[in-house]
Amino acid sequence: MKKDLAGVIPQDLLSYLPDGYEIIGNIAIISVPASLEAYFKDITKALLSRRPSLVTILNKISTIQGKERIAHYDPIFGKETITEVREFGFRYQLNVREVYFSTKMASERRRIHELINKRDTVFVPFAGVGPYAIPAATRGAEVYAIEISHHACAWMARNAIVNGASSNLHIIRGDALQAAYYLNKDFSRIIIPTPYGVLKSPDFFLDRLIQGGTAHWITFCNKAQINEYIEELSGDIYEVTYCHKSGNIAPSVFRWILDIKKKKTDRQ
């Protein structure tokens, strides 16, 4: 956007314009400070010139807050907040004012989906509207998804129908951090899309992993911290088989995904 708006927004203000924006379906989400409010029409024009299919542009005016991970927005173009995201053959309907959704892990979701087979039993805490749980269920796996937001649960149920995943997807509305009270079951695969700042270690969920099973842990930290996590998780019980950095959310703070395999013992 800075390139498109150079010469339109004064140079001393242009530095306050964010480098990018996120597209969720046909909705754009940007974070523009109040000091640039006078240039909202110019920003809208620049976005629509690149993305003419946009029906709404929302300005994010708060960070993601609360257990339901909701941010607050002001519309600067359009009013519709219900959209549909299409991601490698799957469709996710949602209301961006009600639920959290990010497109930034789409390639990792595809990678995990391709690893799953119909013999898997899969647990997805913090399941959202289903972008990890639904692809797993379409592979024939038995999937248990826990989500605290009643809005997200409703959209996940709807998306399960849309994607033909209802028959083996079990949606549980509840706090994933209280999973021990909901499930008395072990799993061959656990997908943990941890909300920012919620979980410093996957140990809480790794106890539910069968021997030979794999957990996929998404977390946020700097490079030194991720190296510490890898060292802590590498030993007699677990091994880290994959580590990938997927974008940053703050200076030196990155989104990471680790694949953590529980080793088989000699007795098995």
Side-chain angles (χ1 to χ4, degrees):
M1 286 197 295
K2 287 181 178 178
K3 181 180 178 181
D4 291 344
L5 291 164
V8 177
I9 296 176
Q11 190 63 36
D12 61 326
L13 293 176
L14 195 62
S15 62
Y16 295 105
L17 191 70
D19 291 325
Y21 49 89
E22 185 166 11
I23 302 295
I24 300 178
N26 54 10
I27 296 173
I29 295 176
I30 59 175
S31 297
V32 180
S35 59
L36 293 176
E37 186 174 352
Y39 300 96
F40 277 177
K41 287 185 178 179
D42 298 304
I43 293 168
T44 296
K45 183 178 178 181
L47 280 170
L48 290 176
S49 69
R50 288 186 175 270
R51 301 272 187 165
S53 62
L54 291 175
V55 299
T56 303
I57 301 173
L58 298 174
N59 190 32
K60 187 177 178 181
I61 58 172
S62 79
T63 58
I64 294 170
Q65 299 173 342
K67 288 186 175 182
E68 296 192 356
R69 295 176 283 166
I70 300 299
H72 297 289
Y73 307 98
D74 277 343
I76 66 172
F77 171 77
K79 295 181 179 179
E80 183 60 70
T81 57
I82 295 175
T83 190
E84 180 177 277
V85 178
R86 299 196 175 203
E87 190 175 282
F88 62 93
F90 295 97
R91 297 160 55 198
Y92 305 107
Q93 298 171 0
L94 57 111
N95 187 331
V96 296
R97 286 195 184 277
E98 294 178 348
V99 300
Y100 172 81
F101 189 92
S102 176
T103 60
K104 293 182 174 66
M105 292 295 288
S107 61
E108 285 298 320
R109 287 195 277 263
R110 182 170 192 170
R111 181 186 70 87
I112 294 170
H113 165 251
E114 292 174 349
L115 293 173
I116 294 170
N117 62 65
K118 64 182 180 180
R119 296 182 299 276
D120 273 326
T121 52
V122 180
F123 175 38
V124 186
F126 316 110
V129 300
Y132 292 95
I134 287 170
T138 65
R139 297 284 281 187
E142 197 77 10
V143 181
Y144 294 79
I146 293 183
E147 169 56 49
I148 199 167
S149 164
H150 70 279
H151 290 298
C153 285
W155 285 110
M156 181 165 30
R158 181 171 179 170
N159 291 329
I161 294 170
V162 168
N163 291 283
S166 296
S167 61
N168 49 346
L169 174 60
H170 309 278
I171 299 172
I172 302 167
R173 184 189 170 201
D175 187 344
L177 297 177
Q178 301 294 323
Y181 297 104
Y182 299 104
L183 293 172
N184 183 22
K185 188 176 179 64
D186 294 330
F187 300 90
S188 61
R189 195 172 299 272
I190 303 175
I191 306 169
I192 316 165
T194 313
Y196 181 70
V198 169
L199 197 66
K200 297 298 183 183
S201 168
D203 290 348
F204 182 84
F205 297 109
L206 293 182
D207 286 345
R208 291 302 183 91
L209 201 61
I210 66 170
Q211 293 185 22
T214 298
H216 308 277
W217 180 40
I218 296 93
T219 190
F220 304 87
C221 61
N222 61 38
K223 189 172 182 180
Q225 288 169 323
I226 202 66
N227 288 334
E228 290 175 6
Y229 288 140
I230 291 172
E231 184 175 356
E232 290 171 3
L233 290 165
S234 301
D236 294 336
I237 301 175
Y238 302 106
E239 63 177 324
V240 176
T241 60
Y242 175 86
C243 175
H244 179 68
K245 180 173 67 177
S246 182
N248 68 304
I249 62 165
S252 300
V253 179
F254 302 94
R255 180 186 291 102
W256 303 85
I257 179 165
L258 298 181
D259 287 3
I260 306 160
K261 185 172 183 178
K262 190 170 186 178
K263 296 179 180 180
K264 293 182 178 181
T265 65
D266 294 336
R267 291 177 305 219
Q268 186 164 355

PDB file of all heavy atoms in Angstrom, residues 70-95:
ATOM      1  N   ILE A  70     -11.448 -12.270  19.720  1.00  0.00           N
ATOM      2  CA  ILE A  70     -12.158 -11.344  18.860  1.00  0.00           C
ATOM      3  C   ILE A  70     -11.476  -9.978  18.895  1.00  0.00           C
ATOM      4  O   ILE A  70     -11.139  -9.464  19.948  1.00  0.00           O
ATOM      5  CB  ILE A  70     -13.632 -11.191  19.322  1.00  0.00           C
ATOM      6  CG1 ILE A  70     -14.340 -12.549  19.276  1.00  0.00           C
ATOM      7  CG2 ILE A  70     -14.363 -10.178  18.453  1.00  0.00           C
ATOM      8  CD1 ILE A  70     -14.409 -13.174  17.914  1.00  0.00           C
ATOM      9  N   ALA A  71     -11.307  -9.386  17.710  1.00  0.00           N
ATOM     10  CA  ALA A  71     -10.840  -8.008  17.599  1.00  0.00           C
ATOM     11  C   ALA A  71     -12.034  -7.116  17.255  1.00  0.00           C
ATOM     12  O   ALA A  71     -13.109  -7.610  16.889  1.00  0.00           O
ATOM     13  CB  ALA A  71      -9.774  -7.899  16.519  1.00  0.00           C
ATOM     14  N   HIS A  72     -11.845  -5.816  17.377  1.00  0.00           N
ATOM     15  CA  HIS A  72     -12.896  -4.862  17.028  1.00  0.00           C
ATOM     16  C   HIS A  72     -12.492  -4.109  15.767  1.00  0.00           C
ATOM     17  O   HIS A  72     -11.315  -3.789  15.563  1.00  0.00           O
ATOM     18  CB  HIS A  72     -13.130  -3.895  18.192  1.00  0.00           C
ATOM     19  CG  HIS A  72     -13.619  -4.577  19.434  1.00  0.00           C
ATOM     20  ND1 HIS A  72     -14.891  -5.103  19.557  1.00  0.00           N
ATOM     21  CD2 HIS A  72     -12.997  -4.853  20.601  1.00  0.00           C
ATOM     22  CE1 HIS A  72     -15.032  -5.656  20.748  1.00  0.00           C
ATOM     23  NE2 HIS A  72     -13.887  -5.519  21.398  1.00  0.00           N
ATOM     24  N   TYR A  73     -13.494  -3.818  14.930  1.00  0.00           N
ATOM     25  CA  TYR A  73     -13.239  -3.198  13.638  1.00  0.00           C
ATOM     26  C   TYR A  73     -14.177  -2.022  13.407  1.00  0.00           C
ATOM     27  O   TYR A  73     -15.310  -2.010  13.880  1.00  0.00           O
ATOM     28  CB  TYR A  73     -13.464  -4.210  12.504  1.00  0.00           C
ATOM     29  CG  TYR A  73     -12.702  -5.502  12.644  1.00  0.00           C
ATOM     30  CD1 TYR A  73     -13.323  -6.642  13.166  1.00  0.00           C
ATOM     31  CD2 TYR A  73     -11.381  -5.598  12.248  1.00  0.00           C
ATOM     32  CE1 TYR A  73     -12.630  -7.838  13.294  1.00  0.00           C
ATOM     33  CE2 TYR A  73     -10.682  -6.788  12.368  1.00  0.00           C
ATOM     34  CZ  TYR A  73     -11.311  -7.901  12.888  1.00  0.00           C
ATOM     35  OH  TYR A  73     -10.626  -9.073  13.016  1.00  0.00           O
ATOM     36  N   ASP A  74     -13.680  -1.060  12.628  1.00  0.00           N
ATOM     37  CA  ASP A  74     -14.513   0.004  12.076  1.00  0.00           C
ATOM     38  C   ASP A  74     -14.542  -0.161  10.567  1.00  0.00           C
ATOM     39  O   ASP A  74     -13.472  -0.269   9.935  1.00  0.00           O
ATOM     40  CB  ASP A  74     -13.947   1.391  12.415  1.00  0.00           C
ATOM     41  CG  ASP A  74     -14.351   1.869  13.800  1.00  0.00           C
ATOM     42  OD1 ASP A  74     -15.305   1.301  14.359  1.00  0.00           O
ATOM     43  OD2 ASP A  74     -13.696   2.801  14.306  1.00  0.00           O
ATOM     44  N   PRO A  75     -15.730  -0.199   9.954  1.00  0.00           N
ATOM     45  CA  PRO A  75     -15.772  -0.307   8.494  1.00  0.00           C
ATOM     46  C   PRO A  75     -15.386   1.011   7.837  1.00  0.00           C
ATOM     47  O   PRO A  75     -15.839   2.071   8.258  1.00  0.00           O
ATOM     48  CB  PRO A  75     -17.239  -0.660   8.213  1.00  0.00           C
ATOM     49  CG  PRO A  75     -17.995  -0.121   9.386  1.00  0.00           C
ATOM     50  CD  PRO A  75     -17.070  -0.215  10.562  1.00  0.00           C
ATOM     51  N   ILE A  76     -14.527   0.930   6.830  1.00  0.00           N
ATOM     52  CA  ILE A  76     -14.231   2.136   6.052  1.00  0.00           C
ATOM     53  C   ILE A  76     -14.750   1.997   4.623  1.00  0.00           C
ATOM     54  O   ILE A  76     -14.758   2.955   3.866  1.00  0.00           O
ATOM     55  CB  ILE A  76     -12.731   2.464   6.060  1.00  0.00           C
ATOM     56  CG1 ILE A  76     -11.916   1.403   5.332  1.00  0.00           C
ATOM     57  CG2 ILE A  76     -12.221   2.646   7.477  1.00  0.00           C
ATOM     58  CD1 ILE A  76     -10.450   1.804   5.161  1.00  0.00           C
ATOM     59  N   PHE A  77     -15.211   0.787   4.279  1.00  0.00           N
ATOM     60  CA  PHE A  77     -15.869   0.557   2.991  1.00  0.00           C
ATOM     61  C   PHE A  77     -16.753  -0.663   3.138  1.00  0.00           C
ATOM     62  O   PHE A  77     -16.304  -1.716   3.586  1.00  0.00           O
ATOM     63  CB  PHE A  77     -14.834   0.336   1.876  1.00  0.00           C
ATOM     64  CG  PHE A  77     -15.433  -0.107   0.566  1.00  0.00           C
ATOM     65  CD1 PHE A  77     -16.060   0.800  -0.259  1.00  0.00           C
ATOM     66  CD2 PHE A  77     -15.379  -1.437   0.179  1.00  0.00           C
ATOM     67  CE1 PHE A  77     -16.616   0.397  -1.472  1.00  0.00           C
ATOM     68  CE2 PHE A  77     -15.921  -1.857  -1.025  1.00  0.00           C
ATOM     69  CZ  PHE A  77     -16.555  -0.930  -1.852  1.00  0.00           C
ATOM     70  N   GLY A  78     -18.033  -0.545   2.768  1.00  0.00           N
ATOM     71  CA  GLY A  78     -18.954  -1.671   2.864  1.00  0.00           C
ATOM     72  C   GLY A  78     -19.345  -1.964   4.296  1.00  0.00           C
ATOM     73  O   GLY A  78     -18.815  -1.384   5.253  1.00  0.00           O
ATOM     74  N   LYS A  79     -20.270  -2.910   4.463  1.00  0.00           N
ATOM     75  CA  LYS A  79     -20.773  -3.255   5.794  1.00  0.00           C
ATOM     76  C   LYS A  79     -20.808  -4.764   6.055  1.00  0.00           C
ATOM     77  O   LYS A  79     -20.896  -5.195   7.196  1.00  0.00           O
ATOM     78  CB  LYS A  79     -22.182  -2.696   5.978  1.00  0.00           C
ATOM     79  CG  LYS A  79     -22.265  -1.177   5.973  1.00  0.00           C
ATOM     80  CD  LYS A  79     -23.697  -0.702   6.188  1.00  0.00           C
ATOM     81  CE  LYS A  79     -23.765   0.814   6.216  1.00  0.00           C
ATOM     82  NZ  LYS A  79     -25.162   1.288   6.407  1.00  0.00           N
ATOM     83  N   GLU A  80     -20.789  -5.567   4.995  1.00  0.00           N
ATOM     84  CA  GLU A  80     -20.940  -7.014   5.151  1.00  0.00           C
ATOM     85  C   GLU A  80     -19.734  -7.613   5.867  1.00  0.00           C
ATOM     86  O   GLU A  80     -18.587  -7.370   5.489  1.00  0.00           O
ATOM     87  CB  GLU A  80     -21.108  -7.674   3.785  1.00  0.00           C
ATOM     88  CG  GLU A  80     -21.341  -9.177   3.835  1.00  0.00           C
ATOM     89  CD  GLU A  80     -22.596  -9.528   4.614  1.00  0.00           C
ATOM     90  OE1 GLU A  80     -23.706  -9.250   4.126  1.00  0.00           O
ATOM     91  OE2 GLU A  80     -22.445 -10.070   5.739  1.00  0.00           O
ATOM     92  N   THR A  81     -19.996  -8.398   6.915  1.00  0.00           N
ATOM     93  CA  THR A  81     -18.890  -9.037   7.650  1.00  0.00           C
ATOM     94  C   THR A  81     -18.952 -10.561   7.581  1.00  0.00           C
ATOM     95  O   THR A  81     -18.102 -11.231   8.167  1.00  0.00           O
ATOM     96  CB  THR A  81     -18.891  -8.584   9.117  1.00  0.00           C
ATOM     97  OG1 THR A  81     -20.152  -8.875   9.718  1.00  0.00           O
ATOM     98  CG2 THR A  81     -18.606  -7.090   9.223  1.00  0.00           C
ATOM     99  N   ILE A  82     -19.958 -11.106   6.896  1.00  0.00           N
ATOM    100  CA  ILE A  82     -20.011 -12.550   6.648  1.00  0.00           C
ATOM    101  C   ILE A  82     -19.362 -12.834   5.300  1.00  0.00           C
ATOM    102  O   ILE A  82     -19.649 -12.160   4.309  1.00  0.00           O
ATOM    103  CB  ILE A  82     -21.464 -13.072   6.669  1.00  0.00           C
ATOM    104  CG1 ILE A  82     -22.057 -12.912   8.073  1.00  0.00           C
ATOM    105  CG2 ILE A  82     -21.523 -14.536   6.236  1.00  0.00           C
ATOM    106  CD1 ILE A  82     -23.524 -13.295   8.166  1.00  0.00           C
ATOM    107  N   THR A  83     -18.479 -13.796   5.273  1.00  0.00           N
ATOM    108  CA  THR A  83     -17.766 -14.101   4.045  1.00  0.00           C
ATOM    109  C   THR A  83     -17.498 -15.597   3.948  1.00  0.00           C
ATOM    110  O   THR A  83     -17.812 -16.357   4.877  1.00  0.00           O
ATOM    111  CB  THR A  83     -16.436 -13.308   3.983  1.00  0.00           C
ATOM    112  OG1 THR A  83     -15.865 -13.451   2.681  1.00  0.00           O
ATOM    113  CG2 THR A  83     -15.449 -13.793   5.040  1.00  0.00           C
ATOM    114  N   GLU A  84     -16.938 -16.011   2.842  1.00  0.00           N
ATOM    115  CA  GLU A  84     -16.537 -17.405   2.645  1.00  0.00           C
ATOM    116  C   GLU A  84     -15.099 -17.436   2.171  1.00  0.00           C
ATOM    117  O   GLU A  84     -14.735 -16.756   1.202  1.00  0.00           O
ATOM    118  CB  GLU A  84     -17.435 -18.102   1.624  1.00  0.00           C
ATOM    119  CG  GLU A  84     -17.048 -19.559   1.396  1.00  0.00           C
ATOM    120  CD  GLU A  84     -17.980 -20.290   0.445  1.00  0.00           C
ATOM    121  OE1 GLU A  84     -19.039 -20.770   0.895  1.00  0.00           O
ATOM    122  OE2 GLU A  84     -17.648 -20.358  -0.760  1.00  0.00           O
ATOM    123  N   VAL A  85     -14.282 -18.220   2.879  1.00  0.00           N
ATOM    124  CA  VAL A  85     -12.879 -18.402   2.518  1.00  0.00           C
ATOM    125  C   VAL A  85     -12.737 -19.729   1.788  1.00  0.00           C
ATOM    126  O   VAL A  85     -13.242 -20.759   2.262  1.00  0.00           O
ATOM    127  CB  VAL A  85     -11.983 -18.393   3.767  1.00  0.00           C
ATOM    128  CG1 VAL A  85     -10.531 -18.633   3.384  1.00  0.00           C
ATOM    129  CG2 VAL A  85     -12.127 -17.075   4.518  1.00  0.00           C
ATOM    130  N   ARG A  86     -12.062 -19.724   0.673  1.00  0.00           N
ATOM    131  CA  ARG A  86     -11.784 -20.960  -0.071  1.00  0.00           C
ATOM    132  C   ARG A  86     -10.303 -21.258   0.050  1.00  0.00           C
ATOM    133  O   ARG A  86      -9.461 -20.426  -0.287  1.00  0.00           O
ATOM    134  CB  ARG A  86     -12.212 -20.811  -1.527  1.00  0.00           C
ATOM    135  CG  ARG A  86     -13.706 -20.533  -1.650  1.00  0.00           C
ATOM    136  CD  ARG A  86     -14.242 -20.761  -3.020  1.00  0.00           C
ATOM    137  NE  ARG A  86     -15.690 -20.598  -3.034  1.00  0.00           N
ATOM    138  CZ  ARG A  86     -16.510 -21.137  -3.932  1.00  0.00           C
ATOM    139  NH1 ARG A  86     -16.012 -21.897  -4.897  1.00  0.00           N
ATOM    140  NH2 ARG A  86     -17.804 -20.931  -3.858  1.00  0.00           N
ATOM    141  N   GLU A  87     -10.009 -22.475   0.534  1.00  0.00           N
ATOM    142  CA  GLU A  87      -8.630 -22.838   0.851  1.00  0.00           C
ATOM    143  C   GLU A  87      -8.367 -24.267   0.403  1.00  0.00           C
ATOM    144  O   GLU A  87      -8.910 -25.213   0.958  1.00  0.00           O
ATOM    145  CB  GLU A  87      -8.414 -22.670   2.360  1.00  0.00           C
ATOM    146  CG  GLU A  87      -6.988 -22.787   2.807  1.00  0.00           C
ATOM    147  CD  GLU A  87      -6.848 -22.485   4.296  1.00  0.00           C
ATOM    148  OE1 GLU A  87      -6.862 -21.299   4.674  1.00  0.00           O
ATOM    149  OE2 GLU A  87      -6.749 -23.444   5.084  1.00  0.00           O
ATOM    150  N   PHE A  88      -7.564 -24.432  -0.594  1.00  0.00           N
ATOM    151  CA  PHE A  88      -7.200 -25.711  -1.220  1.00  0.00           C
ATOM    152  C   PHE A  88      -8.363 -26.705  -1.265  1.00  0.00           C
ATOM    153  O   PHE A  88      -8.271 -27.862  -0.881  1.00  0.00           O
ATOM    154  CB  PHE A  88      -5.922 -26.327  -0.632  1.00  0.00           C
ATOM    155  CG  PHE A  88      -5.932 -26.707   0.836  1.00  0.00           C
ATOM    156  CD1 PHE A  88      -6.272 -27.982   1.229  1.00  0.00           C
ATOM    157  CD2 PHE A  88      -5.557 -25.798   1.802  1.00  0.00           C
ATOM    158  CE1 PHE A  88      -6.270 -28.343   2.566  1.00  0.00           C
ATOM    159  CE2 PHE A  88      -5.535 -26.144   3.142  1.00  0.00           C
ATOM    160  CZ  PHE A  88      -5.897 -27.430   3.519  1.00  0.00           C
ATOM    161  N   GLY A  89      -9.487 -26.217  -1.813  1.00  0.00           N
ATOM    162  CA  GLY A  89     -10.646 -27.085  -2.048  1.00  0.00           C
ATOM    163  C   GLY A  89     -11.675 -27.088  -0.937  1.00  0.00           C
ATOM    164  O   GLY A  89     -12.755 -27.661  -1.114  1.00  0.00           O
ATOM    165  N   PHE A  90     -11.393 -26.454   0.192  1.00  0.00           N
ATOM    166  CA  PHE A  90     -12.345 -26.382   1.299  1.00  0.00           C
ATOM    167  C   PHE A  90     -12.968 -24.992   1.356  1.00  0.00           C
ATOM    168  O   PHE A  90     -12.366 -24.003   0.915  1.00  0.00           O
ATOM    169  CB  PHE A  90     -11.658 -26.720   2.629  1.00  0.00           C
ATOM    170  CG  PHE A  90     -11.177 -28.138   2.695  1.00  0.00           C
ATOM    171  CD1 PHE A  90      -9.856 -28.447   2.406  1.00  0.00           C
ATOM    172  CD2 PHE A  90     -12.047 -29.162   3.020  1.00  0.00           C
ATOM    173  CE1 PHE A  90      -9.409 -29.754   2.439  1.00  0.00           C
ATOM    174  CE2 PHE A  90     -11.611 -30.478   3.060  1.00  0.00           C
ATOM    175  CZ  PHE A  90     -10.295 -30.774   2.773  1.00  0.00           C
ATOM    176  N   ARG A  91     -14.160 -24.928   1.931  1.00  0.00           N
ATOM    177  CA  ARG A  91     -14.894 -23.660   2.047  1.00  0.00           C
ATOM    178  C   ARG A  91     -15.234 -23.423   3.516  1.00  0.00           C
ATOM    179  O   ARG A  91     -15.786 -24.303   4.179  1.00  0.00           O
ATOM    180  CB  ARG A  91     -16.174 -23.714   1.213  1.00  0.00           C
ATOM    181  CG  ARG A  91     -15.935 -23.872  -0.279  1.00  0.00           C
ATOM    182  CD  ARG A  91     -17.166 -24.392  -0.992  1.00  0.00           C
ATOM    183  NE  ARG A  91     -18.333 -23.558  -0.733  1.00  0.00           N
ATOM    184  CZ  ARG A  91     -19.594 -23.967  -0.933  1.00  0.00           C
ATOM    185  NH1 ARG A  91     -19.833 -25.184  -1.399  1.00  0.00           N
ATOM    186  NH2 ARG A  91     -20.594 -23.149  -0.674  1.00  0.00           N
ATOM    187  N   TYR A  92     -14.901 -22.236   4.001  1.00  0.00           N
ATOM    188  CA  TYR A  92     -15.179 -21.880   5.385  1.00  0.00           C
ATOM    189  C   TYR A  92     -15.996 -20.587   5.423  1.00  0.00           C
ATOM    190  O   TYR A  92     -15.521 -19.532   5.003  1.00  0.00           O
ATOM    191  CB  TYR A  92     -13.877 -21.694   6.172  1.00  0.00           C
ATOM    192  CG  TYR A  92     -12.980 -22.905   6.107  1.00  0.00           C
ATOM    193  CD1 TYR A  92     -11.818 -22.890   5.353  1.00  0.00           C
ATOM    194  CD2 TYR A  92     -13.324 -24.081   6.782  1.00  0.00           C
ATOM    195  CE1 TYR A  92     -11.006 -24.009   5.273  1.00  0.00           C
ATOM    196  CE2 TYR A  92     -12.515 -25.201   6.699  1.00  0.00           C
ATOM    197  CZ  TYR A  92     -11.354 -25.158   5.952  1.00  0.00           C
ATOM    198  OH  TYR A  92     -10.561 -26.279   5.863  1.00  0.00           O
ATOM    199  N   GLN A  93     -17.225 -20.704   5.900  1.00  0.00           N
ATOM    200  CA  GLN A  93     -18.079 -19.543   6.061  1.00  0.00           C
ATOM    201  C   GLN A  93     -17.942 -19.020   7.492  1.00  0.00           C
ATOM    202  O   GLN A  93     -17.836 -19.811   8.441  1.00  0.00           O
ATOM    203  CB  GLN A  93     -19.528 -19.921   5.749  1.00  0.00           C
ATOM    204  CG  GLN A  93     -19.716 -20.395   4.320  1.00  0.00           C
ATOM    205  CD  GLN A  93     -21.103 -20.968   4.052  1.00  0.00           C
ATOM    206  OE1 GLN A  93     -21.940 -21.027   4.937  1.00  0.00           O
ATOM    207  NE2 GLN A  93     -21.327 -21.383   2.817  1.00  0.00           N
ATOM    208  N   LEU A  94     -17.940 -17.707   7.646  1.00  0.00           N
ATOM    209  CA  LEU A  94     -17.725 -17.127   8.968  1.00  0.00           C
ATOM    210  C   LEU A  94     -18.097 -15.647   8.958  1.00  0.00           C
ATOM    211  O   LEU A  94     -18.234 -15.028   7.899  1.00  0.00           O
ATOM    212  CB  LEU A  94     -16.256 -17.274   9.378  1.00  0.00           C
ATOM    213  CG  LEU A  94     -15.231 -16.653   8.417  1.00  0.00           C
ATOM    214  CD1 LEU A  94     -14.565 -15.436   9.052  1.00  0.00           C
ATOM    215  CD2 LEU A  94     -14.180 -17.676   8.007  1.00  0.00           C
ATOM    216  N   ASN A  95     -18.253 -15.125  10.168  1.00  0.00           N
ATOM    217  CA  ASN A  95     -18.464 -13.696  10.374  1.00  0.00           C
ATOM    218  C   ASN A  95     -17.226 -13.163  11.092  1.00  0.00           C
ATOM    219  O   ASN A  95     -16.943 -13.568  12.222  1.00  0.00           O
ATOM    220  CB  ASN A  95     -19.720 -13.461  11.213  1.00  0.00           C
ATOM    221  CG  ASN A  95     -20.085 -11.994  11.329  1.00  0.00           C
ATOM    222  OD1 ASN A  95     -19.232 -11.117  11.278  1.00  0.00           O
ATOM    223  ND2 ASN A  95     -21.368 -11.706  11.497  1.00  0.00           N
TER     224      ASN A  95
END
